[in-house]
Amino acid sequence: MSETVILVVEDEATISNFICRALVSAGYKTLTAPTGREGLTLFFSHRPGLVLLDLGLPDMDGLEVLEQIRSGPEEETAVIILTARDRESEKVKALDMGADDYIVKPFGVAEVLARIRTCLRHAQRLRSAEGERRERYEIGDLILDTASHQVFAAGREVHLTQNEFKILELLCLHPGKVLTYDFIMRRVWGPYSGGGNQILRVNMANIRRKLGENPSEPKYILTELGVGYRLLEES
Ligand code: CA
């Protein structure tokens, strides 16, 4: 496999340097830009495999940079947003605009590298059309069979309702990726579902109870507070 090029768009030099050192020692090639404009220029001239994008840039809104990246044909380029802890609505907006994931500052090397690996795997799956609906998903000891409409957790059959099954299938289709409440709502209940996320929360609580999840130590589904849900992937 050729070296993946990662573009880091971040105005804070200490963060940018810290990320680049970690990426280079993990075997990636890096490009850096301290502004949105330079980031876009590098993006369109080098076509990197992944972009780490800070939302707080000096010259333009990071969401605007994301919009321009997503307006091109390079849909397979993964974009991970770098954001501050208290910017929930911004994160959700970025995810709904096509960002693949986000990392909350401050973060450690292990976390960045794990998120990058997940995103690249996901992009790879989409390229190879494996991202399409499958007959059977096996993620850890969770098995979801779309042909027979059966779910097994730790060897035990779990009986889900139609919507619970749809939600879990959606999560299985995107292992390791955070799915926003809005994304799941639209896919399961349709574009005119309206209202809040209460129905989704209720369904999710039922799924977890049926899977035998321990709420303090989730094994299958992680809640991303104020954002959505993520199916845990085996590392
Ligand atoms: Ca910044």
Side-chain angles (χ1 to χ4, degrees):
M1 208 175 107
S2 66
E3 274 181 322
T4 302
V5 177
I6 298 179
L7 170 61
V8 181
V9 187
E10 164 67 75
D11 58 313
E12 279 172 73
T14 47
I15 298 178
S16 179
N17 291 338
F18 155 77
I19 295 173
C20 287
R21 271 199 305 276
L23 295 180
V24 168
S25 57
Y28 297 108
K29 271 192 183 163
T30 61
L31 292 167
T32 57
T35 64
R37 237 163 273 286
E38 284 173 71
L40 284 170
T41 304
L42 285 176
F43 176 78
F44 289 108
S45 58
H46 289 74
R47 314 282 176 187
L50 187 139
V51 182
L52 287 173
L53 175 64
D54 177 32
L55 288 185
L57 294 167
D59 61 329
M60 58 195 284
D61 190 339
L63 290 175
E64 213 178 300
V65 177
L66 174 64
E67 196 176 13
Q68 296 207 29
I69 287 175
R70 280 290 175 256
S71 69
E74 292 77 22
E75 279 185 12
E76 72 270 24
T77 302
V79 179
I80 300 178
I81 296 300
L82 306 176
T83 176
R85 186 161 297 283
D86 53 347
R87 311 287 283 271
E88 250 78 33
S89 62
E90 210 174 52
K91 282 187 281 188
V92 173
K93 210 166 172 189
L95 291 168
D96 284 332
M97 281 171 68
D100 295 86
D101 208 340
Y102 63 84
I103 301 176
V104 175
K105 294 179 182 179
F107 47 79
V109 171
E111 189 186 0
V112 179
L113 294 178
R115 288 296 166 80
I116 289 174
R117 277 194 300 272
T118 298
C119 276
L120 290 175
R121 256 203 312 274
H122 200 255
Q124 176 68 34
R125 268 197 294 265
L126 290 181
R127 261 200 298 279
S128 61
E130 280 177 46
E132 282 165 24
R133 194 164 191 256
R134 273 186 278 160
E135 285 200 351
R136 188 183 168 90
Y137 300 89
E138 277 195 58
I139 293 146
D141 65 21
L142 178 69
I143 298 170
L144 185 137
D145 194 313
T146 58
S148 68
H149 224 267
Q150 280 178 304
V151 176
F152 298 89
R156 181 177 56 86
E157 186 167 8
V158 177
H159 296 279
L160 299 182
T161 66
Q162 195 84 352
N163 281 342
E164 289 164 6
F165 189 90
K166 276 201 225 169
I167 295 166
L168 191 59
E169 185 183 351
L170 203 54
L171 287 163
C172 286
L173 196 56
H174 304 277
K177 189 175 154 128
V178 61
L179 304 183
T180 64
Y181 298 124
D182 192 48
F183 177 85
I184 301 173
M185 291 292 297
R186 275 185 282 117
R187 293 301 187 89
V188 176
W189 284 277
Y192 307 109
S193 53
N197 306 318
Q198 188 56 24
I199 188 167
L200 174 56
R201 288 173 207 272
V202 170
N203 273 265
M204 191 55 80
N206 289 335
I207 293 171
R208 285 174 156 155
R209 185 174 41 75
K210 290 177 182 180
L211 291 178
E213 282 271 59
N214 173 356
S216 61
E217 229 177 295
K219 188 173 152 195
Y220 305 109
I221 302 164
L222 210 66
T223 297
E224 299 280 349
L225 226 59
V227 178
Y229 302 102
R230 184 196 300 274
L231 189 77
L232 290 167
E233 226 181 354
E234 279 182 303
S235 46

